[in-house]
Structure formats: C-alpha cells, structure tokens
Amino acid sequence: MAGNGTVGNGDPGRRARWKASVDGWKAVASRYALLPLRLFLGVTFVYAALDKLTDSAFLADTGSGSIGETMRGVRDSSAIPALVDLALENPTGFGYAIAFGELAVGIGTLLGLFARLAALGGALISLSLWLTVSWQVNPYYLGNDLAYLMAWLPLLLAGASVLSLDRLLAERRRIR
C-alpha cells in the first residue's frame, strides 16, 4: 500500500474495489458462520441417537454398557443425584427418551426447523448429561457434555438464518 492510502499502482479505484470485495466476503462469512456448528451438532446428535437405538445393550436396565448400569455408576458422583434417581425409576424408558430427544434435536438442527427449540433441547440434554454422567470428570473441561452445552448456546440465541426450513417458512409468511 502506498503512503497515500492507495493499493499497488496508486489507483484509488482499485483500493475501493478491493475493500468492497473484502466487505462482501465478510458479509457472506458472517451470514454462514454458524452453519458448520449447526451441521456438526446436528450430525453428532443424530449419530448419537442412532447409536443408542441400535445398541440393545445400552437400552437394557442392567448389564455391561446399559443405561441402567451407567446411571447406577454415576449416581453418587453426580451433581444432582435426584435426577439420576428419576432416570433409575425406568432406565430403559430414560434411554429411549434420551435417544429420541437426541434424534429430534439432531434432525431439527440439520433441517433448521424450529431451530431455537432444537438448540434448547440440545442444550438441556447436554446440561443434564453434564450434571450426571460427566460431572465427576476432573478437570471439568475434559468432560465433553459441558462443551456441547456451550456449543448449543449460539444456535439458541441466533437460530438458523440460512439454509433452513425456518427461514423458508418465514419468507412464505411474509409473501402472504
């Protein structure tokens, strides 16, 4: 950049075009900034749900790898033992509830349908898992459920503004 604020050969128009190009790129990047996070969380929650639903050992009350054994194993070290006790009243039902909740959250997030509600669901699932299953992880930042909880917050605040059914539905309502 020359000392007079121009770029390269001293053409002031060139600098203006360059600035406009950079500003345009920034606007596009800003609009799509949350899309990678939305895709990651959506795919991860759908995968986690399908993993649970296809694992008969997980959905059992007892046995190695079961939701029941997991809940019994973390009960005394969880932040809210009463929440674990609630899950232990019907471990299989709780396992199905978590799996179908993750599936609904993941699909809603991927499609951008009721995106803020899906993000709230994802945050609540992550919060409940952090307070129960991941609570005893030391140091705390090694527990992945806290990181997932924090990852849901931007989507909860911003929703899904691009490539989403929410946006499509909002545009259709404006046309009417």
Side-chain angles (χ1 to χ4, degrees), residues 83-150:
L83 189 60
V84 178
D85 290 339
L86 183 64
L88 285 171
E89 288 181 19
N90 184 353
T92 300
F94 178 72
Y96 275 109
I98 289 291
F100 283 118
E102 287 174 338
L103 187 62
V105 163
I107 290 171
T109 300
L110 287 172
L111 297 177
L113 182 62
F114 304 115
R116 284 192 169 103
L117 182 60
L120 176 63
L124 291 174
I125 289 170
S126 297
L127 176 64
S128 68
L129 292 174
W130 177 55
L131 292 173
T132 55
V133 179
S134 300
W135 186 255
Q136 77 284 358
V137 174
N138 190 16
Y140 75 92
Y141 53 81
L142 293 178
N144 64 344
D145 294 311
L146 179 59
Y148 280 108
L149 171 60
M150 293 299 118

Side-chain angles (χ1 to χ4, degrees), residues 55-98:
D55 182 358
S56 59
F58 173 79
L59 293 169
D61 285 353
T62 60
S64 179
S66 70
I67 184 67
E69 287 302 312
T70 299
M71 291 289 104
R72 281 186 279 285
V74 300
R75 192 223 176 261
D76 294 334
S77 63
S78 72
I80 307 175
L83 189 60
V84 178
D85 290 339
L86 183 64
L88 285 171
E89 288 181 19
N90 184 353
T92 300
F94 178 72
Y96 275 109
I98 289 291

Side-chain angles (χ1 to χ4, degrees), residues 108 111-115 160-176:
L111 297 177
L113 182 62
F114 304 115
S161 60
V162 296
L163 300 177
S164 70
L165 291 177
D166 285 349
R167 182 176 180 153
L168 179 69
L169 293 171
E171 288 173 4
R172 290 184 77 185
R173 281 190 293 261
R174 270 184 288 218
I175 294 172
R176 291 181 185 177

Side-chain angles (χ1 to χ4, degrees), residues 149-161:
L149 171 60
M150 293 299 118
W152 283 112
L153 297 181
L155 296 179
L156 179 61
L157 295 170
S161 60

